Amino acid sequence: MQTKYVKYSYRVFAGLGIGIVFGAIIQLLFGVDNSITQTIVEWLDVVGLGYVRFLQMLVMPLIFVSLVRAFTEMEGESNIGKIGANVLAVLIITVMIAAAVGITSVLLFNLDGAEFTRGAAENARIAALQETQTQVEGMTIPQQILSFIPNNIFNDLAGLRGTSTIAVVIFSAFIGIAYLGVARKQPEHGDFFRKIIDSLHAIVMRLVTLVLRMAPYGILALMTKMVATSSPAALANMGTFLIASYFSVIVMFIIHALILIIYKVNPIQYFKKVWTVLSFAFTSRSSAGALPLNIATQKEVLGVDATTSNIAATFGLSIGQNGCAGIYPAMLVTIIAPAVGMDLTDPVVWGTIIVVVAISSFGVAGVGGGATFAALIVFGALDLPIEIIGLLVSVEPIIDMARTALNVNDSILAGVITSKRLGTFDEDTFNDNDRQVTPDMETN
């Protein structure tokens, strides 16, 4: 397909489709628990989980290089505060709306107080979560905020803390601000540093290109494993929650479209242009992996200025993710609320959930598992039992695809709205239907 110049998004979806078919065949021939199925899955993990690990390998370098480069590409420092404030405002406001949508969907589908089947896989997942919970157990909201600030940046660059992503964002922003000061007072040092960052950016982007080319194969392996090992009974048991989750995601996409209309951006044209990056995010389940395509789409296809596109995409990787850190934790809290005595008819309860979700949305990792960590933070802050999180292991991958696409779209939305508000949005680029982005970050 690549030699015939088939679009990248089509190749990715081809891997998705083949994986679903292959997984279904394996399950029909051997069953979920058969030793042959387990052996096949182990070999598939070499490709599928290997691909995910390559994406995880790139997260911290991507965050650091992309955000610092946003500062080095600036012509002045007068707008940096406005850009950051506008981007954060969009991310935080939309994640609060997403939390409200999640609560509403649970009530609409009568899932509040729902109980799910608990099998061996669920018990194993709960045990693993209880170990992970020790990272956030007993932390108050002020303590959570304090944990975002790095005290040893090398630990955070290594991803050794749950909040390492936001810590690296903060560190990168400080490096960028320091660069602006040096560039103004000592231009020769500023120019030298900018050339270093440009070189690092070129190398990291080349690494990203190599990894993205593996995507169709990695996605094929991941989907094969998911379908081959998914229990039909478990999926049926979680069917209503699955539908409610996708309903919430669709509602948020509609809300994003309404926000675009408010700012006089054609949502049809917008979604046509972001299709490639959203389809990659959907199939890869990685906001971090989609970061280069995200930045290139904003800058080269939508007409967002370079600084805003880098800041919006990088901030959106770890702050205010509408799907993983907004809808998902809010839905879980609402499901368990009746069992712990929370009155969902009380507006104060709604407000508490929404505020806690918004604060806890900072620092969520951009690769698979971020939603679980976000839920653990929210449950820890509200002192809730975490069993409900582990019970959803059977449908987690299916839901995560839609959540990731929504996360990426929200960061792009933040870039577009900020650029529109500050008057740097290029309407000609946005209206040019021939401008599309490829995995090599080149327009055609």
Side-chain angles (χ1 to χ4, degrees):
M1 292 177 74
Q2 184 175 2
T3 57
K4 294 182 179 180
Y5 302 104
V6 175
K7 284 185 177 181
Y8 179 73
S9 59
Y10 294 168
R11 303 202 304 269
V12 169
F13 272 102
L16 176 73
I18 295 170
I20 292 173
V21 172
F22 190 29
I25 291 172
I26 292 173
Q27 182 167 144
L28 288 173
L29 290 178
F30 307 112
V32 175
D33 300 320
N34 190 283
S35 60
I36 296 177
T37 301
Q38 299 304 317
T39 301
I40 293 173
V41 165
E42 286 181 5
W43 283 103
L44 287 170
D45 280 344
V46 175
V47 180
L49 296 184
Y51 166 66
V52 171
R53 289 193 178 192
F54 277 123
L55 289 176
Q56 292 172 328
M57 173 187 73
L58 294 172
V59 172
M60 295 309 177
L62 273 171
I63 293 174
F64 178 78
V65 172
S66 297
L67 190 53
V68 173
R69 193 164 188 258
F71 286 84
T72 63
E73 288 187 334
M74 290 182 62
E75 296 180 357
E77 58 180 302
S78 59
N79 284 332
I80 189 67
K82 292 181 180 178
I83 293 172
N86 276 273
V87 168
L88 286 173
V90 174
L91 294 173
I92 293 171
I93 290 171
T94 52
V95 81
M96 294 177 76
I97 295 172
V101 169
I103 296 171
T104 303
S105 67
V106 168
L107 298 177
L108 187 63
F109 285 86
N110 296 317
L111 283 170
D112 47 314
E115 296 182 0
F116 302 109
T117 302
R118 182 168 172 169
E122 287 74 19
N123 286 329
R125 177 67 167 169
I126 291 169
L129 289 175
Q130 286 171 340
E131 294 183 9
T132 306
Q133 191 187 27
T134 57
Q135 299 179 37
V136 296
E137 190 174 20
M139 290 181 65
T140 63
I141 295 297
Q143 289 173 331
Q144 288 181 33
I145 295 173
L146 189 62
S147 71
F148 300 151
I149 302 174
N151 61 353
N152 185 336
I153 191 58
F154 296 102
N155 282 342
D156 290 314
L157 287 170
L160 298 180
R161 297 192 302 143
T163 55
S164 285
T165 50
I166 189 63
V168 172
V169 167
I170 293 171
F171 176 74
S172 303
F174 269 85
I175 292 290
I177 294 170
Y179 159 80
L180 293 177
V182 171
R184 185 177 65 252
K185 296 180 179 179
Q186 299 172 291
E188 67 281 6
H189 293 311
D191 289 340
F192 180 70
F193 180 79
R194 179 174 54 79
K195 290 177 182 178
I196 292 175
I197 293 299
D198 286 344
S199 298
L200 285 174
H201 181 265
I203 292 171
V204 171
M205 289 303 105
R206 185 58 186 171
L207 284 172
V208 169
T209 298
L210 296 175
V211 174
L212 291 185
R213 286 177 178 172
M214 305 176 192
Y217 308 99
I219 289 165
L220 188 154
L222 291 170
M223 291 305 300
T224 301
K225 175 184 176 180
M226 185 184 75
V227 175
T229 57
S230 294
S231 166
L235 292 176
N237 178 54
M238 301 291 178
T240 305
F241 179 79
L242 183 63
I243 294 170
S245 297
Y246 269 81
F247 170 80
S248 299
V249 170
I250 292 170
V251 169
M252 275 309 299
F253 268 112
I254 294 172
I255 291 173
H256 287 181
L258 293 175
I259 294 173
L260 289 170
I261 292 173
I262 291 172
Y263 283 91
K264 298 181 180 179
V265 177
N266 186 333
I268 297 175
Q269 177 76 349
Y270 168 88
F271 282 111
K272 283 169 57 179
K273 292 210 155 195
V274 300
W275 168 252
T276 298
V277 62
L278 293 188
S279 61
F280 175 82
F282 180 86
T283 51
S284 69
R285 296 170 52 202
S286 172
S287 301
L291 181 61
L293 289 176
N294 185 335
I295 295 172
T297 298
Q298 290 190 52
K299 183 169 63 174
E300 306 291 349
V301 180
L302 294 175
V304 178
D305 63 280
T307 302
T308 301
S309 60
N310 276 277
I311 290 177
T314 308
F315 277 19
L317 188 63
S318 57
I319 299 172
Q321 294 189 350
N322 284 191
C324 290
I327 289 174
Y328 186 67
M331 290 184 69
L332 298 188
V333 171
T334 310
I335 289 172
I336 202 173
V340 295
M342 296 175 68
D343 183 6
L344 293 172
T345 63
D346 186 352
V348 175
V349 173
W350 278 58
T352 301
I353 295 173
I354 291 171
V355 170
V356 171
V357 165
I359 295 173
S360 300
S361 70
F362 284 71
V364 177
V367 180
T372 299
F373 190 76
L376 285 174
I377 294 175
V378 172
F379 272 55
L382 295 174
D383 196 25
L384 300 175
I386 65 169
E387 280 75 8
I388 183 67
I389 305 173
L391 293 178
L392 301 172
V393 61
S394 59
V395 293
E396 177 72 14
I398 301 174
I399 298 172
D400 195 41
M401 293 190 292
R403 288 192 313 231
T404 306
L406 181 62
N407 295 339
V408 171
N409 191 68
D410 188 54
S411 65
I412 298 174
L413 177 74
V416 171
I417 298 307
T418 298
S419 189
K420 285 285 288 186
R421 285 177 60 87
L422 300 181
T424 58
F425 189 71
D426 189 338
E427 298 284 354
D428 292 335
T429 299
F430 179 77
N431 293 317
D432 186 352
N433 291 319
D434 293 329
R435 297 182 73 89
Q436 296 295 330
V437 72
T438 71
D440 294 325
M441 277 58 75
E442 298 171 349
T443 54
N444 54 48

